[in-house]
Amino acid sequence: RECKLYSVMKVSPIAIAVAVGVLVGVHAADHAVNDCQLNGELVAGVCKCDVGWTGASCEDLDLDPDPIVLYGSGSVADPHTSSWGGGPPAYDSSTGLYHLFVTELAGNCGMGTWARGSQAAHATSSAELGPYTRTDLAIQTETHNVFYAYSAPDKMHLIYTIFSGTSPASCNPPFPGCTNGTTPGTTGGVRPRRYSPPDTCPKAPGGTHVHYSKSLDGPWVSAGPLQTATTGCPGCGDSNPAPYIFPNGTVLMLGRSKDVTRVPGKPTVFGHNLWLYRAASWNATYEWIPGHGANGSVNIGDGTGADLTEDPVLWRGRRGFHALMHSDSDLTHAWSVDGFSWNSSAVVIGPPQMPGGSNERPRVVVDAAGDLSAVIVGQLVTEGSDASRTAAFKVKSRA
């Protein structure tokens, strides 16, 4: 049974919760929402965790420690290129191939060129977690935060990104002298000490964009900047877009705004920086849904005291909705029965970290039952280098 998400938003909050509860096969009244974080069942006071989760409250990811490098430094697809997250993989039943869209750093450079050098690469494989082979460039620079989604009613493949992908190498040349996915003069992090030659491209619109195609092989067409309606929410942002598209085409999306406010000589101000949106379809206006957090935000994110929360991924599991976020120094988890009222944990979780830093840009692979089968992240590989990769971690198998 499908829920007309857009229309029920116009009725009472109780009706909304019940309607979306029907959608996911649960009702808010049936759950003490903090029990097992919707990652398991409470039996005689003990959480029996679903596949992919572990801990007394099913609060921690249960992943194999060995990474599967999907793209970027050390990968089969292109070991001499750096990458910074992407996915989830999309399956084409007509060819038997999986398609992966990832952020790739142009010119064999590393994460030090992230600001100008990010582009969307396309790779394919006969297996969901690879090995992948690079096929082509889906969207040119500047294209950050590559996030694949699918709209079933119009059979449209979608790539949500930050920035428009309209600054090609002809006017936005790569940083010179890059090799093996590293940037000369960069010892780590996301920006080099200098950047030349200059970017002479016409100024393009920033913010979130959506590219669409009827085929996973493209061509990809820009739908332009994401249109949002945020009246009464001056702090709202749609960066790091994390869409969940229902089978009927309606969209629920998390977006990000500024992390913190820092003024010299004054205390740092932490604010909730994740916001919830709804849309009638992927190419409609995304309307802000006032949340229970500060200033109408979702009550997850920086309110936990971290100085950085970003890169959400939103999905529907067997018991409700979930989000993973990069909350410095790694990932944190949030959950919701109805998609509107959220709970979150300050417990920092995630796959094993590489020496270069924390896991960022999370994506999830979810099976037909709604259980996790893998978590995909972007990783800086080595301390003192800006080489990076997109890696997957499978959930641990259970007897």
Side-chain angles (χ1 to χ4, degrees):
R1 179 180 176 184
E2 292 307 325
C3 165
K4 296 293 185 181
L5 175 69
Y6 193 80
S7 60
V8 301
M9 288 300 297
K10 297 180 181 298
V11 298
S12 71
I14 294 176
I16 293 169
V18 171
V20 178
V22 170
L23 172 68
V24 298
V26 295
H27 292 274
D30 295 337
H31 282 279
V33 295
N34 286 308
D35 289 346
C36 312
Q37 298 191 11
L38 298 185
N39 291 325
E41 183 181 6
L42 191 66
V43 179
V46 177
C47 284
K48 303 296 184 182
C49 300
D50 298 331
V51 172
W53 298 93
T54 189
S57 301
C58 305
E59 75 281 2
D60 201 359
L61 289 165
D62 192 22
L63 304 174
D64 284 335
D66 297 327
I68 302 170
V69 183
L70 301 180
Y71 203 89
S73 181
S75 69
V76 173
D78 194 339
H80 306 297
T81 297
S82 274
S83 177
W84 196 236
Y91 182 65
D92 185 348
S93 59
S94 66
T95 63
L97 292 177
Y98 289 89
H99 295 250
L100 181 68
F101 300 93
V102 295
T103 298
E104 173 188 83
L105 283 304
N108 297 114
C109 292
M111 278 296 293
T113 66
W114 173 87
R116 279 177 49 184
S118 294
Q119 55 191 16
H122 173 212
T124 57
S125 174
S126 59
E128 190 170 38
L129 297 181
Y132 279 88
T133 300
R134 190 185 194 276
T135 302
D136 54 40
L137 183 66
I139 309 171
Q140 62 193 2
T141 54
E142 301 171 21
T143 302
H144 311 283
N145 199 88
V146 175
F147 199 127
Y148 171 82
Y150 180 69
S151 172
D154 53 358
K155 298 181 180 178
M156 198 68 75
H157 301 281
L158 308 169
I159 300 178
Y160 286 69
T161 67
I162 307 172
F163 291 103
S164 59
T166 55
S167 299
S170 57
C171 55
N172 178 32
F175 194 93
C178 294
T179 57
N180 293 319
T182 62
T183 312
T186 303
T187 57
V190 297
R191 289 181 176 84
R193 291 179 293 182
R194 57 182 177 80
Y195 205 142
S196 63
D199 179 354
T200 60
C201 300
K203 185 174 178 57
T208 292
H209 287 68
V210 183
H211 286 73
Y212 62 92
S213 175
K214 283 288 188 180
S215 169
L216 285 163
D217 293 311
W220 295 91
V221 180
S222 174
L226 197 75
Q227 300 301 306
T228 60
T230 58
T231 301
C233 184
C236 277
D238 58 28
S239 186
N240 295 143
Y244 175 78
I245 302 181
F246 291 85
N248 63 9
T250 54
V251 185
L252 195 66
M253 188 186 85
L254 287 171
R256 170 206 175 199
S257 61
K258 188 176 181 181
D259 303 306
V260 298
T261 300
R262 292 185 174 90
V263 178
K266 295 184 178 182
T268 298
V269 177
F270 299 97
H272 289 265
N273 68 328
L274 294 179
W275 312 86
L276 192 64
Y277 296 87
R278 56 124 187 247
S281 64
W282 66 269
N283 54 355
T285 298
Y286 288 66
E287 299 181 5
W288 164 57
I289 303 173
H292 301 296
N295 303 312
S297 65
V298 187
N299 59 327
I300 56 179
D302 283 341
T304 62
D307 67 352
L308 177 67
T309 294
E310 59 178 2
D311 302 346
V313 56
L314 172 65
W315 78 97
R316 189 176 83 190
R318 65 164 60 223
R319 304 175 192 279
F321 294 86
H322 297 267
L324 285 176
M325 303 145 285
H326 171 227
S327 297
D328 203 23
S329 61
D330 213 302
L331 308 181
T332 55
H333 173 240
W335 64 97
S336 171
V337 171
D338 56 25
F340 302 102
S341 297
W342 286 81
N343 299 271
S344 64
S345 170
V347 176
V348 176
I349 59 178
Q353 293 186 11
M354 295 298 292
S358 61
N359 299 296
E360 304 188 27
R361 293 281 202 267
R363 303 286 185 268
V364 294
V365 180
V366 181
D367 66 18
D371 289 325
L372 284 180
S373 57
V375 174
I376 299 172
V377 293
Q379 297 181 315
L380 284 166
V381 178
T382 305
E383 187 174 7
S385 169
D386 66 345
S388 61
R389 69 188 189 188
T390 297
F393 293 82
K394 296 174 64 176
V395 304
K396 288 183 179 177
S397 59
R398 296 183 182 176

